[in-house]
């Protein structure tokens, strides 16, 4: 999907405040970002919609929580969907993938359902925040497990935030295969706002459906729902697709496997090892000479002094 020249980007994260009601919110819209995320893959409709909703959720939560690094939403299961992963960074870059059961991918088994409760008893849904290290410390990692007691992703996340943060929360996610969007509202801690504030905002929230959420830009959603609540727009962040893969990172992965295994991959590939990035579709190719140089360079590198990373 290509944006018309001169048209403002719809790929945004918008944070806002409803001070009279004591409610904060985040709205997200993914248009070109979503198209680029799935440009190199073909997913069954239910899997694509779940990935789009997970990507919108990751962008929402990055605006809601203190994230200096990256936040990911990951689903692991033993059914038709084996892995679903969506990530948003503090810089506003997103990426995501779905891995299907082999029989589903080959068309020999039924495609996945959108119902989370159909994912299987061993399914696990997690939100993970990874913030960069401070000084010589290890990177900080926080993870929360989301109960799969609801049939929809937004309902599961809504229950998670109500329980984990002990604050009333409303969440709506939508994806139609061409774009994805989300809206999150949460009561401010303490006695902020009037006594009826969150109930009143919740009634307005309930007038919004998935189709309208997808059709309108974040600022238009806030105006359409809450213009009588004197909303304060706290700032927009552009969002876009980006992959963190690079030849250097692939080389480091091959070095970690060891030279015998890397050379075996070259032999199996008839003289060339090919590494495919699932997120962006890029191919990295290494022949025997490149593998030899790679391991000679790795052997020549001096180990870092203790405490230096």
């Amino acid at each position: 999907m290509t944006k018309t020249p001169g048209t403002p980007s719809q790929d945004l994260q918008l944070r806002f405040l409803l001070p009279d009601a004591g409610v904060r919110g985040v709205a997200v819209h993914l248009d070109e970002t979503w198209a680029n995320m799935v440009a190199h893959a073909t997913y069954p409709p239910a899997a694509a919609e779940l990935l789009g909703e997970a990507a919108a959720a990751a962008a929402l939560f990055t605006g809601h929580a203190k994230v200096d690094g990256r936040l990911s939403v990951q689903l692991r299961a033993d059914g038709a969907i084996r892995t679903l992963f969506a990530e948003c960074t503090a810089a506003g870059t997103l990426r995501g993938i779905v891995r299907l059961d082999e029989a589903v991918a080959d068309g020999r088994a039924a495609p996945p359902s959108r119902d989370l409760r159909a994912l299987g008893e061993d399914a696990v849904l997690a939100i993970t925040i990874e913030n960069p290290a401070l000084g010589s410390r290890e990177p900080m990692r926080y993870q929360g497990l989301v109960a799969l007691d609801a049939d929809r992703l937004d309902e599961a996340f809504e229950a998670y935030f109500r329980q984990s943060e002990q604050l009333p929360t409303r969440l709506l996610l939508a994806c139609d295969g061409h774009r994805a969007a989300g809206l999150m509202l949460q009561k401010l801690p303490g006695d902020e706002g009037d006594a009826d504030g969150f109930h009143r905002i919740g009634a307005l929230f309930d007038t919004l459906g998935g189709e309208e959420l997808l059709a309108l830009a974040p600022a238009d959603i806030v105006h359409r729902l809450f213009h009588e609540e004197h909303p304060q727009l706290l700032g927009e962040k552009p969002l876009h697709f980006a992959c963190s893969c690079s030849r250097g990172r692939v080389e480091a992965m091959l070095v970690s496997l060891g030279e015998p295994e890397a050379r075996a991959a070259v032999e199996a590939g008839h003289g060339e090892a090919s590494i495919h990035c699932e997120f962006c579709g890029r191919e990295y190719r290494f022949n025997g000479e490149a593998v030899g140089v790679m391991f000679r360079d790795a052997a020549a590198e001096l180990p870092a002094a203790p405490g230096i990373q």
Side-chain angles (χ1 to χ4, degrees):
M1 185 178 299
T2 303
K3 181 167 65 72
T4 303
T7 303
S9 173
Q10 297 294 315
D11 294 67
L12 293 170
Q13 174 203 86
L14 172 66
R15 296 168 51 249
F16 61 93
L17 184 67
L18 306 175
D20 295 345
V23 173
R24 61 175 175 162
V26 187
V28 161
H29 194 280
L30 304 175
D31 192 340
E32 192 171 350
T33 302
W34 168 244
N36 289 333
M37 190 181 297
V38 295
H40 305 282
T42 302
Y43 299 125
E49 289 170 16
L50 283 173
L51 178 60
E53 292 181 6
L60 285 176
F61 303 158
T62 304
H64 170 78
K66 176 64 174 174
V67 178
D68 297 320
R70 61 189 71 239
L71 182 149
S72 64
V73 171
Q74 184 167 3
L75 173 68
R76 296 189 304 274
D78 293 329
I81 293 178
R82 293 305 178 97
T83 301
L84 184 149
F85 177 90
E87 177 187 83
C88 182
T89 69
T93 64
L94 288 100
R95 62 177 185 161
I97 57 168
V98 178
R99 291 182 183 137
L100 301 169
D101 176 77
E102 186 176 334
V104 174
D106 293 344
R108 293 180 286 111
S113 165
R114 277 190 48 88
D115 190 337
L116 297 182
R117 291 172 295 194
L119 293 171
E121 295 181 359
D122 296 327
V124 176
L125 177 62
I127 300 171
T128 304
I129 296 175
E130 296 181 53
N131 285 331
L134 297 176
S136 60
R137 299 179 183 177
E138 292 292 319
M140 293 173 286
R141 189 171 187 269
Y142 313 90
Q143 186 173 78
L145 297 180
V146 181
L148 293 172
D149 297 329
D151 61 343
R152 287 182 50 87
L153 203 55
D154 47 15
E155 294 173 355
F157 285 134
E158 190 175 288
Y160 168 80
F161 280 101
R162 279 201 307 266
Q163 181 178 6
S164 66
E165 300 187 359
Q166 299 294 301
L167 292 169
T169 303
R170 300 299 307 273
L171 196 68
L172 179 63
L173 300 169
C175 179
D176 63 1
H178 303 287
R179 53 198 170 176
L183 176 64
M184 181 177 184
L185 302 172
Q186 190 176 73
K187 180 81 172 67
L188 289 170
D191 298 324
E192 300 266 357
D194 57 66
D196 188 51
F198 194 79
H199 176 76
R200 184 174 68 252
I201 296 304
L204 294 170
F205 176 91
D206 287 335
T207 67
L208 180 67
E211 290 186 8
E212 190 173 17
L213 177 63
L214 289 166
L216 297 178
D220 295 333
I221 289 288
V222 174
H223 176 76
R224 155 41 188 113
L225 293 175
F226 309 122
H227 61 277
E228 294 183 356
E229 295 290 333
H230 309 106
Q232 297 178 6
L233 304 185
L234 303 180
E236 289 183 340
K237 176 183 290 186
L239 302 173
H240 62 278
F241 169 78
C243 185
S244 60
C245 76
S246 68
R247 189 171 183 86
R249 295 186 70 171
V250 174
E251 288 179 354
M253 180 272 293
L254 290 172
V255 168
S256 71
L257 294 176
E259 188 168 3
E261 188 158 346
R263 291 201 175 277
V266 171
E267 185 177 348
H270 304 290
E272 191 174 65
S274 177
I275 310 298
H276 173 81
C277 177
E278 295 180 87
F279 291 99
C280 67
R282 186 173 178 181
E283 293 278 350
Y284 296 91
R285 300 180 183 277
F286 302 86
N287 58 23
E289 181 181 356
V291 168
V293 171
M294 183 194 318
F295 281 93
R296 283 197 299 274
D297 290 347
E301 290 180 2
L302 292 175
I308 299 178
Q309 299 293 330

